[in-house]
Amino acid sequence: MPEKTTLEIEGMSCAACANAIESALKKTQGVASARVNLAAEKACVEYDPGAITRDGLVEVIRNTGYDVKQSKERAVLRIGGMTCAACAAAVENALKKADGVFFASVNIATEKATVEFDPTKVSRETLSRVVSESGYEMLGVEGDEESVSGEEDDDVRKMREARNRMLGAWAFTIPIMLWMIPEMFFGIMWPNHMVMNAGMILLAIPPLAIFGRKTFVSAFKAVSHGSANMDVLIAMGTGAAFLTGPAMFFLPVANYAGVSAMIMAFHLTGRYIEATAKGRASQAIKKLLELGAKTARVIRGDQEVEVPIEQVVPGDILAIRPGEKVPTDGEVIEGSTTIDESMATGESMPVKKQPGDQVIGATINQSGFIKVRATKVGKDTFLAQVIKLVEEAQGTKVPIQEFADRVTGVFVPVVVGIALVTLVVWLVFPEFMVGILLKAASTIPWIDPELGPVTLALSATIAVLVIACPCALGLATPTALLVGSGIGAENGVLIRRGEAIQAMKDVKVVVFDKTGTITKGKPDVTDVVLAKSAPEGSMSEDDLLALAASVESRSEHPLAMAVVGGAQKRGLTVEPPEDFQSITGKGVSARVSGKRVLVGSRRLMQDEGIDASAIEDDLRRVEEEAKTGMIVAVDGTVYGLIAVADPLKEDSKVAIAELKAMGLDTAIVTGDNRRTANAIAKKVGITHVVAEVLPDGKVQSVTELQNKFGTIAMVGDGINDAPALAQADVGIAIGTGTDIAIESSDITLVRGDLSGVVTAVKLSRATFRKIRQNLFWAFFYNVIAIPVAILGFLHPVMAEIAMATSSITVVTNANLLRRVKVTPH
């Protein structure tokens, strides 16, 4: 069975790097799919573990010239049972041999082991088992667990390093610029020609060799592995510019060594701003990671013991006081309270909780003391699932990006080719090219046609190399996805696939399931009506309800549960049925006290040859009131009907009206009869009704709606509607917090109301709009910038500023998504 893994990649600098890694992974045997996200610096890989291991994938990436960051955690373990140094050595060796452990040191004096390990391979439970198998006991984990390379720390480190490189480069570049001023404005080379040129060369060395070293190393790695990235262009441009310094002592060429330092300084400034903006874009995962509780109070015997959250296991009873975080997913077993679930659902109003209710880890207990039985821990919790989902979404691609990917795959080699052609054209046809410069010199003040032909040729070539920007193309989609998926997670909208964002812009109709989607999914008995065909005095309303409830007691359908609940509320006796049979989409039958009882629709009565005309008027009446009527027949005779109503969700009407205001049509697909479906559709404002659909007919109904209207989105509970959700162009699963069917949908809504559908549509449209804007800007910039550089209209430093601005513009525009109001009015 295929497995999925996410690898954090180090060393990528532009879209060409991401393409090289993705291409290498896709060519690897056993890899089903691979997506590399430049902005998130992650690779999402689906692979066959029988053909290749995770370590094998890491090796493929390293062979491509890049590295995979090993996530490390450090823990101090308390070890029991050790008596001498030999014991410590035994435990230490056992830990060191464990797969995923980087470092282990055991101190017999303190009886503690310090372990660094990969949390994706090794859990605390695994460490405990290793210690136990070596003949000793792990008593617990002490102190604060330190994340050696956590998500937040890593971004802070990258920004700090980028800042230091930028400041270091400017420390030498600013003196270069000040030294150039007398020559630029007064033609004075102070103190003389020789000293100034030598000084420029010496001052340019640190920005390139020290602070720009990473750029040259990245370029070398890319070229040595048969690919080319953005750093190759910068390395070639700055390298060529620097070499003019020593060359000017022997050749008729201007000294551009100082310019090379300026190019590198602006390049590193762009990298710093880009790293800062990317850090803001990836805040979603960090915020989610910060939400989790660090400790929990577990009831052991008659005492409360505070333990690290990693030691909580399913079945533990947790004590939670007002104001504390719920440590993990669980079920309330004692007490009542209100809980702030806004981190999970985006809903600001606290939710009441009492025994039997489910709670979500990392939410805030507000008003009462409760005891909770832990049901899910670690990677199985709701928060962990959300983090995983957001990471997967950020690793996906939008179809519109495919052309950009093809362009970036050949971008750098093409630019290098254009630069070489530029050099040749300027050297072979200097008069023609200088003639163009002379015409532009009157309007572009920085153009100097008086420079020698070799200098002009080098200037134009360097400008072409440094102005071309594959980064803008590569960052256009990932940064918008980073921000968009993060905003979605904050508002209870989990985007699972980037493709859904593009598909959503073309959606013409939003199709809703009825039960649990438009309605609350908690129906109740409203009417019990005796039929004229029933023998007079043979049965009361309570008798009819008790008989129907006895049959329905074996069914798990929501309507059946409503009938049973209605009987229990009246204090009626529900007898165990015999020969129970469920007739899909029609009803149920069974024997109760020797009588054969049928409860179901007209269709069931017709199939059984039972005349239901005596109850037809009453059935039509309840259906027109948006209720579901179930006919009850005993031994072939209709005795009456039971009407059940499922109340509408409070926001259904408002949400559907807002979808219409956005230009979307709406439809309902339900197994209910047409009158009930029409009545509900009329109440909430839905236009198209597809009724009396059997459970296995929903896919066909969705297909027919697609044929009729085009692209559609389907909203359902994500479990019963899974096939229909998969058939729709965009499947939206509507959940209730912990029980979310992720796999069947493109978008999952954490809350159970329809306002999330409005948010999903708005967010998808806004995100795609940013992606389209970014791609347009990236293409437009390169189409305009490269020809301008070829003609010599730009100084190399100006070209580098333009390139840095292009990347920054794309990332900044993506971050502007945060200003878009995506929540319903």
Side-chain angles (χ1 to χ4, degrees), residues 362-395:
T363 53
I364 307 296
N365 180 27
Q366 289 199 325
S367 59
F369 174 81
I370 55 174
K371 290 183 180 179
V372 171
R373 180 186 292 109
T375 56
K376 294 177 181 177
V377 299
K379 61 182 177 58
D380 297 322
T381 63
F382 169 77
L383 181 61
Q385 294 273 4
V386 170
I387 291 170
K388 178 186 174 186
L389 193 67
V390 174
E391 285 182 331
E392 284 186 1
Q394 292 175 351

Side-chain angles (χ1 to χ4, degrees), residues 15 401 404 407-408 411 469-478 775 778-779 782 810:
Q401 189 188 356
V407 172
T408 53
F411 188 91
C469 188
C471 287
L473 285 171
L475 290 170
T477 299
L775 287 173
F779 278 110
N782 281 293
V810 165

